[in-house]
Amino acid sequence: MGAEPRIILHSGLHKTGTTSVQVALRAHAGVLAPLYQVQLNAGPLRIVAEAARLWSAQPRPMAMRVYRRALRTWVQGLDLAPGQGLILSCEDLSGHMPGARGVTSYEAAPRLAAELAHQLRARFPDHALCFVLGTRAPEGWLRSLHWQQAKHHHMVENAEAFAARLREA
């Protein structure tokens, strides 16, 4: 391979094309395998994602300990071949989607990402880390967030009220 192996962390954000990225990664995981192990929002990583969502909705020390423990277990279980990198794509590693469970922003995302980076650096010190975050124009993003939340029975706000409440997100 020659170059320093990389860990590419695609942690969202929600409603910014993450599903399309994940579909492409899933479809090409076999081709990428010699250079990158692909991990998506399933299996043991799902436990880490749920812990990240918990902490974003309840930013208390106990919730962060749960996240750290789940993350440590997942990271220690990673088995990369010599020189192999990792591509990780899971928007829930940024916490809950704004508008869900009382979450009104991605305020938790930097702290969640810092802990993820810390644990991956400790386990794979020779791998370069690269975070990738998708973005989207605010109006379309807020409409998409509202549409996603409106599929659940608890959503009673119309799109305009929802967008006004989450404008700062």
Side-chain angles (χ1 to χ4, degrees), residues 13-162:
L13 305 168
H14 297 88
K15 310 310 295 174
T16 61
T18 53
T19 300
S20 297
V21 170
Q22 291 162 358
V23 166
L25 287 170
R26 187 175 287 111
H28 299 289
V31 174
L32 291 166
L35 297 176
Y36 289 98
Q37 183 179 122
V38 174
Q39 294 256 338
L40 304 173
N41 194 3
L45 184 59
R46 185 79 219 139
I47 296 167
V48 176
E50 288 299 325
R53 289 165 39 121
L54 170 70
W55 189 80
S56 73
Q58 301 174 11
R60 296 185 191 98
M62 181 59 164
M64 183 50 96
R65 284 193 296 273
V66 168
Y67 173 66
R68 284 185 178 131
R69 188 177 320 115
L71 185 56
R72 186 172 39 254
T73 300
W74 173 74
V75 168
Q76 292 306 314
L78 285 173
D79 186 25
L80 301 178
Q84 186 182 38
L86 172 68
I87 298 175
L88 169 65
S89 182
C90 178
E91 62 274 28
D92 289 337
L93 292 175
S94 290
H96 266 295
M97 173 187 315
R101 309 267 188 230
V103 174
T104 58
S105 72
Y106 281 111
E107 179 180 355
R111 193 155 171 216
L112 291 165
E115 187 62 31
L116 177 60
H118 171 75
Q119 295 217 22
L120 284 167
R121 280 191 183 110
R123 175 80 166 84
F124 300 105
D126 297 332
H127 285 62
L129 287 178
C130 175
F131 276 90
V132 177
L133 297 169
T135 61
R136 188 170 172 181
E139 294 77 22
W141 179 71
L142 287 165
R143 271 193 311 277
S144 189
L145 277 182
H146 179 264
W147 176 84
Q148 184 72 29
Q149 295 300 318
K151 294 191 295 184
H152 304 287
H153 71 280
H154 66 274
M155 172 54 74
V156 294
E157 286 177 293
N158 65 29
E160 294 76 28
F162 180 88

